[in-house]
Amino acid sequence: MIVTALAEEQDAVLAVLGDVPSGTAVVDGLRVAVESLHGMGNPGAAGSGGTVLARWGARRLLLVGIAGGIGAAGVGFGDVLVPDQIVGYESGKVRDDGVLRRPEVYRPDFTLLTAARAVRPADWAPARPVHVGTVLSGEKVIASREVLDELRAGWPRAVGVEMESLGTALAAYRAGGGFLMVKGVSDLADAGKDDRWRGHAADAAARFTLALLRRLAAAAGDLEVPGSVRLLVCQRLVGDWQRLAIYFDIPAYERAAFARGPGPDGVWDWLVARQRLRELPDALDFIGRADLTAELRDAR
Protein backbone atom coordinates (compact mmCIF):
# COMPACT_ATOMS: atom_id res chain seq x y z
CA MET A 1 0.00 0.00 0.00
CA ILE A 2 1.43 3.37 -1.08
CA VAL A 3 0.12 6.60 0.44
CA THR A 4 1.00 10.21 -0.31
CA ALA A 5 0.06 13.49 1.36
CA LEU A 6 0.04 15.81 -1.66
CA ALA A 7 -1.39 15.59 -5.17
CA GLU A 8 2.01 16.19 -6.76
CA GLU A 9 3.46 13.28 -4.78
CA GLN A 10 0.66 10.96 -5.88
CA ASP A 11 1.03 12.11 -9.50
CA ALA A 12 4.73 11.19 -9.41
CA VAL A 13 3.95 7.70 -8.06
CA LEU A 14 1.24 7.10 -10.65
CA ALA A 15 3.57 8.28 -13.42
CA VAL A 16 6.24 5.68 -12.63
CA LEU A 17 3.75 2.87 -12.01
CA GLY A 18 2.06 3.44 -15.36
CA ASP A 19 -1.47 2.14 -15.79
CA VAL A 20 -3.19 2.22 -12.39
CA PRO A 21 -6.87 1.32 -12.84
CA SER A 22 -9.04 1.81 -9.77
CA GLY A 23 -6.02 2.84 -7.73
CA THR A 24 -4.12 -0.44 -8.10
CA ALA A 25 -1.08 -1.53 -10.07
CA VAL A 26 0.86 -4.76 -10.49
CA VAL A 27 4.65 -4.59 -10.17
CA ASP A 28 6.29 -7.83 -11.27
CA GLY A 29 3.32 -9.78 -9.93
CA LEU A 30 3.06 -7.75 -6.70
CA ARG A 31 -0.30 -5.98 -6.32
CA VAL A 32 0.06 -2.40 -5.10
CA ALA A 33 -2.65 0.09 -4.16
CA VAL A 34 -2.13 3.87 -4.24
CA GLU A 35 -4.14 6.36 -2.18
CA SER A 36 -3.91 9.90 -0.86
CA LEU A 37 -3.86 10.88 2.81
CA HIS A 38 -5.81 13.99 1.71
CA GLY A 39 -3.53 16.56 3.29
CA MET A 40 -0.41 17.25 5.28
CA GLY A 41 0.24 16.57 8.96
CA ASN A 42 0.65 13.66 11.35
CA PRO A 43 -2.85 13.69 12.92
CA GLY A 44 -4.51 13.36 9.51
CA ALA A 45 -1.97 10.76 8.43
CA ALA A 46 -2.73 8.62 11.48
CA GLY A 47 -6.47 8.62 10.75
CA SER A 48 -6.28 8.29 6.97
CA GLY A 49 -3.51 5.71 7.11
CA GLY A 50 -5.58 3.42 9.30
CA THR A 51 -8.59 3.83 7.03
CA VAL A 52 -6.76 2.90 3.83
CA LEU A 53 -5.05 -0.08 5.46
CA ALA A 54 -8.42 -1.43 6.55
CA ARG A 55 -10.05 -0.70 3.18
CA TRP A 56 -7.43 -2.58 1.18
CA GLY A 57 -6.53 -5.21 3.76
CA ALA A 58 -2.88 -4.26 3.23
CA ARG A 59 -0.05 -5.64 5.35
CA ARG A 60 2.49 -2.90 4.68
CA LEU A 61 2.29 0.85 4.26
CA LEU A 62 4.75 2.92 2.19
CA LEU A 63 4.66 6.71 2.62
CA VAL A 64 6.12 8.33 -0.49
CA GLY A 65 6.68 12.01 -1.20
CA ILE A 66 8.93 14.99 -0.48
CA ALA A 67 10.73 16.19 2.64
CA GLY A 68 13.28 18.65 3.93
CA GLY A 69 16.86 17.41 4.00
CA ILE A 70 19.59 18.32 6.46
CA GLY A 71 22.53 19.75 4.58
CA ALA A 72 24.91 19.35 7.54
CA ALA A 73 24.32 15.57 7.25
CA GLY A 74 25.53 15.59 3.65
CA VAL A 75 22.02 15.59 2.17
CA GLY A 76 21.39 17.45 -1.08
CA PHE A 77 18.50 18.45 -3.32
CA GLY A 78 16.91 15.48 -5.08
CA ASP A 79 18.48 12.90 -2.76
CA VAL A 80 16.26 10.22 -1.23
CA LEU A 81 15.63 9.75 2.49
CA VAL A 82 14.80 6.38 4.08
CA PRO A 83 14.46 6.30 7.89
CA ASP A 84 15.85 3.65 10.19
CA GLN A 85 13.83 5.42 12.88
CA ILE A 86 11.07 8.01 12.94
CA VAL A 87 11.20 10.56 15.77
CA GLY A 88 8.15 12.65 16.60
CA TYR A 89 9.69 15.66 18.29
CA GLU A 90 6.67 17.88 19.05
CA SER A 91 5.51 16.32 22.33
CA GLY A 92 7.05 17.82 25.43
CA LYS A 93 6.81 20.04 28.46
CA VAL A 94 7.17 23.83 28.25
CA ARG A 95 9.23 25.19 31.15
CA ASP A 96 10.72 28.59 31.99
CA ASP A 97 14.10 27.42 30.71
CA GLY A 98 12.72 26.05 27.45
CA VAL A 99 10.99 22.97 26.08
CA LEU A 100 11.71 19.52 27.49
CA ARG A 101 11.00 17.23 24.54
CA ARG A 102 9.41 13.83 25.04
CA PRO A 103 9.93 12.18 21.67
CA GLU A 104 7.85 9.40 20.16
CA VAL A 105 9.99 6.90 18.28
CA TYR A 106 8.94 4.27 15.73
CA ARG A 107 11.07 1.80 13.82
CA PRO A 108 10.25 0.93 10.20
CA ASP A 109 9.35 -2.55 9.01
CA PHE A 110 12.57 -4.57 8.96
CA THR A 111 11.82 -6.36 5.69
CA LEU A 112 11.00 -3.10 3.91
CA LEU A 113 14.07 -1.35 5.28
CA THR A 114 16.33 -4.26 4.36
CA ALA A 115 14.91 -4.29 0.84
CA ALA A 116 15.49 -0.53 0.58
CA ARG A 117 19.12 -0.97 1.63
CA ALA A 118 19.49 -3.64 -1.05
CA VAL A 119 18.36 -1.37 -3.91
CA ARG A 120 21.37 -0.70 -6.12
CA PRO A 121 22.02 2.64 -7.87
CA ALA A 122 21.60 0.97 -11.25
CA ASP A 123 18.12 -0.18 -10.22
CA TRP A 124 16.73 3.35 -10.40
CA ALA A 125 19.00 6.41 -10.75
CA PRO A 126 22.78 6.09 -10.42
CA ALA A 127 23.35 9.80 -9.75
CA ARG A 128 21.10 10.10 -6.70
CA PRO A 129 22.36 9.25 -3.18
CA VAL A 130 20.09 7.52 -0.66
CA HIS A 131 20.46 8.52 2.99
CA VAL A 132 19.37 6.09 5.71
CA GLY A 133 19.09 7.61 9.17
CA THR A 134 16.79 9.35 11.64
CA VAL A 135 13.89 11.32 10.18
CA LEU A 136 12.27 13.97 12.41
CA SER A 137 8.52 14.30 12.09
CA GLY A 138 6.51 17.26 13.39
CA GLU A 139 3.50 19.45 12.75
CA LYS A 140 5.17 22.48 11.19
CA VAL A 141 7.02 23.24 7.97
CA ILE A 142 10.58 24.08 9.02
CA ALA A 143 12.39 26.87 7.19
CA SER A 144 14.81 27.90 9.93
CA ARG A 145 18.44 26.89 10.34
CA GLU A 146 18.27 27.80 14.05
CA VAL A 147 15.36 25.43 14.71
CA LEU A 148 17.03 22.72 12.65
CA ASP A 149 20.28 23.05 14.62
CA GLU A 150 18.34 22.76 17.88
CA LEU A 151 16.68 19.55 16.69
CA ARG A 152 19.98 18.11 15.46
CA ALA A 153 21.52 18.69 18.87
CA GLY A 154 19.15 16.04 20.20
CA TRP A 155 19.30 13.73 17.20
CA PRO A 156 22.72 14.08 15.50
CA ARG A 157 22.00 11.21 13.07
CA ALA A 158 19.02 13.05 11.61
CA VAL A 159 18.97 13.29 7.81
CA GLY A 160 15.61 14.98 7.23
CA VAL A 161 12.41 16.54 8.53
CA GLU A 162 8.81 16.10 7.40
CA MET A 163 5.20 16.03 8.63
CA GLU A 164 3.46 12.69 7.96
CA SER A 165 5.70 9.74 8.81
CA LEU A 166 4.94 9.67 12.53
CA GLY A 167 1.18 9.49 11.94
CA THR A 168 1.54 6.93 9.17
CA ALA A 169 3.85 4.77 11.30
CA LEU A 170 1.32 4.96 14.14
CA ALA A 171 -1.49 3.86 11.80
CA ALA A 172 0.53 0.86 10.63
CA TYR A 173 1.48 -0.05 14.20
CA ARG A 174 -2.15 0.02 15.34
CA ALA A 175 -3.16 -2.18 12.41
CA GLY A 176 -0.38 -4.67 13.06
CA GLY A 177 1.30 -3.88 9.74
CA GLY A 178 4.71 -2.73 8.55
CA PHE A 179 5.72 0.80 7.61
CA LEU A 180 8.44 2.59 5.64
CA MET A 181 8.90 6.14 4.38
CA VAL A 182 10.60 7.07 1.09
CA LYS A 183 10.90 10.81 0.41
CA GLY A 184 12.88 12.95 -1.97
CA VAL A 185 14.59 16.11 -0.74
CA SER A 186 12.87 19.23 -2.05
CA ASP A 187 14.54 21.76 0.30
CA LEU A 188 17.08 22.01 3.12
CA ALA A 189 14.65 23.27 5.79
CA ASP A 190 16.21 26.73 5.90
CA ALA A 191 15.36 30.26 4.82
CA GLY A 192 16.25 29.41 1.22
CA LYS A 193 13.24 27.10 0.96
CA ASP A 194 11.48 27.36 -2.44
CA ASP A 195 9.53 25.17 -4.87
CA ARG A 196 12.14 24.57 -7.58
CA TRP A 197 13.04 21.02 -6.53
CA ARG A 198 9.61 19.72 -5.53
CA GLY A 199 8.83 17.94 -8.79
CA HIS A 200 12.29 16.45 -9.08
CA ALA A 201 12.22 15.26 -5.45
CA ALA A 202 8.79 13.65 -5.85
CA ASP A 203 9.97 11.87 -9.00
CA ALA A 204 13.13 10.58 -7.28
CA ALA A 205 11.11 9.16 -4.38
CA ALA A 206 8.64 7.50 -6.76
CA ARG A 207 11.39 5.90 -8.86
CA PHE A 208 13.21 4.58 -5.80
CA THR A 209 9.91 3.18 -4.51
CA LEU A 210 9.36 1.32 -7.78
CA ALA A 211 12.84 -0.25 -7.47
CA LEU A 212 12.01 -1.21 -3.88
CA LEU A 213 8.75 -2.85 -4.95
CA ARG A 214 10.60 -4.84 -7.59
CA ARG A 215 13.00 -6.08 -4.93
CA LEU A 216 10.08 -7.21 -2.80
CA ALA A 217 8.36 -8.87 -5.74
CA ALA A 218 11.49 -10.79 -6.67
CA ALA A 219 11.96 -11.90 -3.08
CA ALA A 220 8.38 -13.22 -3.09
CA GLY A 221 9.46 -15.73 -5.75
CA ASP A 222 12.20 -17.11 -3.50
CA LEU A 223 11.98 -20.19 -1.26
CA GLU A 224 8.46 -20.40 0.18
CA VAL A 225 8.32 -21.47 3.83
CA PRO A 226 5.21 -21.63 6.05
CA GLY A 227 5.22 -19.24 8.97
CA SER A 228 5.17 -22.09 11.47
CA VAL A 229 8.36 -23.54 9.98
CA ARG A 230 10.07 -20.15 9.98
CA LEU A 231 9.22 -19.73 13.67
CA LEU A 232 10.59 -23.19 14.46
CA VAL A 233 13.83 -22.64 12.55
CA CYS A 234 14.42 -19.17 14.04
CA GLN A 235 13.72 -20.38 17.57
CA ARG A 236 16.30 -23.14 17.20
CA LEU A 237 18.89 -20.80 15.64
CA VAL A 238 19.23 -18.54 18.67
CA GLY A 239 22.66 -19.94 19.47
CA ASP A 240 23.91 -20.25 15.88
CA TRP A 241 22.64 -17.22 13.96
CA GLN A 242 25.99 -15.39 14.25
CA ARG A 243 27.77 -18.20 12.39
CA LEU A 244 25.04 -18.14 9.77
CA ALA A 245 25.50 -14.38 9.37
CA ILE A 246 29.24 -14.87 8.86
CA TYR A 247 28.56 -17.58 6.26
CA PHE A 248 26.50 -15.08 4.24
CA ASP A 249 29.06 -12.26 4.72
CA ILE A 250 26.48 -10.03 6.38
CA PRO A 251 28.28 -6.77 7.30
CA ALA A 252 29.25 -6.32 10.95
CA TYR A 253 27.08 -3.22 11.42
CA GLU A 254 24.01 -5.16 10.29
CA ARG A 255 24.89 -8.09 12.57
CA ALA A 256 25.13 -5.60 15.43
CA ALA A 257 21.60 -4.40 14.63
CA PHE A 258 20.33 -7.99 14.60
CA ALA A 259 21.86 -8.55 18.04
CA ARG A 260 19.65 -5.82 19.50
CA GLY A 261 16.56 -7.78 18.44
CA PRO A 262 15.73 -11.36 17.46
CA GLY A 263 18.97 -12.25 15.66
CA PRO A 264 17.69 -15.24 13.65
CA ASP A 265 14.74 -13.19 12.35
CA GLY A 266 17.14 -10.48 11.26
CA VAL A 267 19.18 -12.94 9.21
CA TRP A 268 16.00 -14.44 7.72
CA ASP A 269 14.65 -11.05 6.61
CA TRP A 270 18.08 -10.08 5.25
CA LEU A 271 18.04 -13.18 3.04
CA VAL A 272 14.45 -12.57 1.90
CA ALA A 273 15.22 -8.98 0.88
CA ARG A 274 18.15 -10.17 -1.26
CA GLN A 275 16.30 -13.14 -2.79
CA ARG A 276 18.74 -15.55 -1.14
CA LEU A 277 16.47 -17.53 1.17
CA ARG A 278 16.82 -20.50 -1.19
CA GLU A 279 20.51 -20.67 -0.11
CA LEU A 280 19.54 -21.24 3.54
CA PRO A 281 19.37 -25.09 3.47
CA ASP A 282 22.96 -25.39 2.17
CA ALA A 283 24.12 -22.80 4.72
CA LEU A 284 22.50 -24.72 7.57
CA ASP A 285 24.21 -27.91 6.41
CA PHE A 286 27.56 -26.08 6.35
CA ILE A 287 27.27 -24.85 9.96
CA GLY A 288 26.21 -28.28 11.17
CA ARG A 289 22.47 -27.75 11.53
CA ALA A 290 21.21 -30.52 9.25
CA ASP A 291 18.27 -30.93 11.61
CA LEU A 292 16.94 -27.54 10.49
CA THR A 293 17.71 -28.28 6.84
CA ALA A 294 15.40 -31.27 7.14
CA GLU A 295 12.62 -29.06 8.56
CA LEU A 296 12.91 -26.71 5.57
CA ARG A 297 12.97 -29.44 2.96
CA ASP A 298 10.04 -31.28 4.51
CA ALA A 299 8.00 -28.07 4.29
CA ARG A 300 8.56 -27.60 0.54
Side-chain angles (χ1 to χ4, degrees), residues 17-30:
L17 290 179
D19 187 23
V20 187
S22 304
T24 63
V26 177
V27 177
D28 295 350
L30 183 68

Side-chain angles (χ1 to χ4, degrees), residues 82 111-120 130 132 180 182 208 212 215 273:
V82 175
T111 299
L112 291 175
L113 178 58
T114 303
R117 289 182 184 275
V119 173
R120 298 165 299 187
V130 178
V132 179
L180 186 68
V182 176
F208 183 86
L212 168 60
R215 281 272 170 183

Side-chain angles (χ1 to χ4, degrees), residues 100-111:
L100 176 63
R101 298 191 185 278
R102 294 172 176 167
E104 300 176 68
V105 179
Y106 287 90
R107 298 282 183 181
D109 179 82
F110 186 83
T111 299

Side-chain angles (χ1 to χ4, degrees), residues 2 4-5 16 28 40 66 84 110 125 128 161 163 169 219 226 245 254 258 276 295 297:
I2 296 176
T4 63
V16 301
D28 295 350
M40 299 168 61
I66 61 177
D84 55 14
F110 186 83
R128 296 266 50 92
V161 292
M163 298 173 59
E254 293 192 70
F258 299 163
R276 297 182 63 184
E295 295 287 351
R297 288 176 175 155

Side-chain angles (χ1 to χ4, degrees), residues 244-286:
L244 198 62
I246 293 171
Y247 175 93
F248 284 110
D249 293 320
I250 297 177
Y253 72 91
E254 293 192 70
R255 298 203 303 270
F258 299 163
R260 293 194 291 270
D265 287 302
V267 174
W268 189 288
D269 286 333
W270 191 93
L271 294 172
V272 168
R274 288 160 178 79
Q275 308 161 46
R276 297 182 63 184
L277 191 60
R278 60 185 177 276
E279 300 174 34
L280 183 57
D282 289 340
L284 290 170
D285 280 342
F286 186 85

Side-chain angles (χ1 to χ4, degrees), residues 4-299:
T4 63
L6 304 172
E8 62 194 299
E9 297 168 337
Q10 187 175 40
D11 289 345
V13 171
L14 295 177
V16 301
L17 290 179
D19 187 23
V20 187
S22 304
T24 63
V26 177
V27 177
D28 295 350
L30 183 68
R31 183 170 174 263
V32 181
V34 182
E35 275 214 29
S36 172
L37 293 173
H38 305 293
M40 299 168 61
N42 283 308
S48 298
T51 300
V52 298
L53 274 171
R55 179 183 304 133
W56 291 98
R59 293 181 300 157
R60 294 188 175 113
L61 197 58
L62 278 167
L63 173 66
V64 181
I66 61 177
I70 297 178
V75 177
F77 296 107
D79 292 358
V80 168
L81 307 178
V82 175
D84 55 14
Q85 68 172 350
I86 298 290
V87 174
Y89 61 84
E90 295 279 10
S91 296
K93 182 178 182 179
V94 179
R95 307 186 303 189
D96 289 339
D97 59 348
V99 177
L100 176 63
R101 298 191 185 278
R102 294 172 176 167
E104 300 176 68
V105 179
Y106 287 90
R107 298 282 183 181
D109 179 82
F110 186 83
T111 299
L112 291 175
L113 178 58
T114 303
R117 289 182 184 275
V119 173
R120 298 165 299 187
D123 292 340
W124 69 290
R128 296 266 50 92
V130 178
H131 304 271
V132 179
T134 300
V135 170
L136 306 174
S137 190
E139 308 307 323
K140 308 173 188 70
V141 174
I142 294 179
S144 165
R145 181 60 57 83
E146 182 179 351
V147 172
L148 199 60
D149 288 345
E150 186 264 325
L151 291 172
R152 288 192 70 240
W155 295 282
R157 291 185 60 252
V159 294
V161 292
E162 56 79 73
M163 298 173 59
E164 293 84 31
S165 61
L166 179 69
T168 311
L170 177 59
Y173 176 78
R174 287 172 173 169
F179 162 80
L180 186 68
M181 183 205 89
V182 176
K183 290 199 174 186
V185 175
S186 61
D187 62 81
L188 297 181
D190 56 19
K193 190 180 183 74
D194 60 43
D195 293 338
R196 287 178 295 176
W197 279 87
R198 292 174 68 93
H200 186 86
D203 179 70
R207 292 184 183 279
F208 183 86
T209 299
L210 178 60
L212 168 60
L213 292 172
R214 286 175 170 158
R215 281 272 170 183
L216 291 172
D222 203 354
L223 178 67
E224 294 186 9
V225 179
S228 59
V229 174
R230 169 180 170 156
L231 285 173
L232 176 65
V233 171
C234 288
Q235 286 170 358
R236 294 183 181 176
L237 269 176
V238 170
D240 289 320
W241 72 267
Q242 290 276 14
R243 290 197 297 148
L244 198 62
I246 293 171
Y247 175 93
F248 284 110
D249 293 320
I250 297 177
Y253 72 91
E254 293 192 70
R255 298 203 303 270
F258 299 163
R260 293 194 291 270
D265 287 302
V267 174
W268 189 288
D269 286 333
W270 191 93
L271 294 172
V272 168
R274 288 160 178 79
Q275 308 161 46
R276 297 182 63 184
L277 191 60
R278 60 185 177 276
E279 300 174 34
L280 183 57
D282 289 340
L284 290 170
D285 280 342
F286 186 85
I287 67 170
R289 295 305 305 267
D291 57 319
L292 298 182
T293 303
E295 295 287 351
L296 288 173
R297 288 176 175 155
D298 287 347

